[in-house]
Amino acid sequence: MHEGTSETHQTDLGRAVRIVRPLTALFLTSLFAAGAALPAPAQEPAPTTEAPTRSVSLLIYVVDIVEISGSDQSVLADVFVRARWHDPEQAGLSEQTRVLGRGDAWRPEVTILNQRSVSQSLPEVIRANPDGSMEYVQRFTGRFSAFMDLRDFPLDQQQVEVWVVAPRLAGPVVELELEPDVQILMNDRLSISDWIVSDPRLGLEAFSATPAAVPISGMKLTVQAQRRVGYYVIQVLIPLTAIVFMAWTVFWIAPTVIPTRVGVVVTTMLTLIAYRFMLGNLVPRLSYLTRLDYFMLGATSLVILVLFTMAGTAYLVSRERMEAVRRIDRAGRWLYPLAFVLLSFSVWLR
């Protein structure tokens, strides 16, 4: 009796499981489908954090240029910078012009990129007018880096640049503008004496620290300078020409005086070497040759050629071939200056 009842219960349980299982699967499937059909919750837009932009008019004025140095690629100058902008937060705070300290009001962070050893001579203050117009003035004195191409030295012309940029720091983004109606950008009397300096040009130009960096607002002051050649003609070229023609005199000395002839050429060679070391202070160590370098190399080659010629004539004198020595001397008297003239034309007039 109990065994029949147990078998009946197991049969009923199996039937219930077979009925509930598909109903459960259908219910879960319907539930997930309904959830997928519900619209996705709307996403709130990300808050914008773009910094405001503030226009700053800038003036760069060259007070003085003392030196343009090719040996260390720098310019010793005195530069005046004035920045003007409008600050609505300062408008109406006073009926008179106020002088504010560095932390009392917003000030654009302008930087001179190519300054090397520069000092500031004016106090770090801002003039605030009642209408909210602000003014900052500073004077920078010292050395500024200047890339120079010295291939034509001492006949070269150089372009001196002063870069002023507004880096992206905290606060408003600075957009530099040219000061309106400004014609004079440089003092008409400069201390520099060995360069001819032309009127500067001031223009806006974006600056990027690296090719992948975001450009920032910048301003560039460009000054063209041409080297005065008179000093180098008097102090360098004329003495150098005299040294080179010292070797030419050996063609006028009697062939039998061999020690004197050789001694003159050797002395000329040593003088040229010493002169070359002295001229090395005028230009930096370059990977290319300047006009003066080509001239020095040509002059040294002429003197070495004369030295070899004297060695050959000394050998001919020992063999008592005096007629051949005289012919060499006569040819050298006009070939040597002709070669020097051709060298000078090829170097200085090319």
Side-chain angles (χ1 to χ4, degrees), residues 111-282:
T111 303
I112 299 180
L113 278 181
N114 55 327
Q115 62 180 352
R116 184 179 296 181
S117 55
V118 176
S119 61
Q120 302 179 10
S121 56
L122 297 179
E124 289 285 311
V125 296
I126 304 171
R127 290 172 55 89
N129 297 315
D131 60 351
S133 60
M134 316 290 284
E135 181 180 273
Y136 169 74
V137 177
Q138 190 53 260
R139 189 171 181 174
F140 300 89
T141 304
R143 288 201 173 272
F144 302 84
S145 299
F147 174 77
M148 300 182 186
D149 187 353
L150 298 170
R151 287 180 173 84
D152 288 335
F153 174 82
L155 305 179
D156 55 323
Q157 300 182 15
Q158 302 298 335
Q159 181 172 289
V160 178
E161 299 177 350
V162 176
W163 266 95
V164 178
V165 300
R168 296 179 183 271
L169 302 177
V173 177
V174 176
E175 289 291 340
L176 298 181
E177 296 179 349
L178 294 175
E179 187 78 18
D181 301 329
V182 174
Q183 302 296 330
I184 301 175
L185 299 173
M186 185 173 65
N187 188 7
D188 57 351
R189 300 185 63 181
L190 302 177
S191 301
I192 192 167
S193 59
D194 55 338
W195 290 81
I196 301 173
V197 180
S198 62
D199 292 334
R201 301 189 310 271
L202 184 61
L204 297 175
E205 189 169 338
F207 176 80
S208 297
T210 62
V214 177
I216 59 177
S217 183
M219 187 174 292
K220 182 171 68 173
L221 179 76
T222 305
V223 180
Q224 296 288 342
Q226 181 177 0
R227 197 186 301 268
R228 296 183 186 270
V229 188
Y231 167 82
Y232 296 93
V233 171
I234 297 173
Q235 300 293 334
V236 177
L237 296 182
I238 292 179
L240 186 58
T241 301
I243 293 172
V244 172
F245 272 90
M246 284 173 55
W248 182 54
T249 61
V250 299
F251 295 107
W252 302 89
I253 301 176
T256 54
V257 191
I258 296 176
T260 302
R261 287 159 66 100
V262 175
V264 169
V265 180
V266 171
T267 302
T268 304
M269 177 63 65
L270 295 177
T271 306
L272 273 178
I273 294 174
Y275 208 71
R276 182 67 186 90
F277 278 107
M278 183 199 72
L279 295 178
N281 296 326
L282 298 178

Side-chain angles (χ1 to χ4, degrees), residues 89-107:
E89 297 178 358
Q90 300 295 326
L93 296 183
S94 175
E95 296 180 355
Q96 297 179 350
T97 300
R98 296 172 297 149
V99 178
L100 305 179
R102 182 180 180 90
D104 296 336
W106 178 86
R107 194 197 78 179

Side-chain angles (χ1 to χ4, degrees), residues 248 250-253 255 261 309-310 313 321-338:
W248 182 54
V250 299
F251 295 107
W252 302 89
I253 301 176
R261 287 159 66 100
T309 303
M310 291 303 101
T313 56
R321 299 178 59 181
M322 299 302 298
E323 186 59 31
V325 174
R326 292 189 183 93
R327 286 199 300 269
I328 293 174
D329 285 347
R330 285 194 295 269
R333 290 170 188 173
W334 64 271
L335 283 177
Y336 188 86
L338 177 61

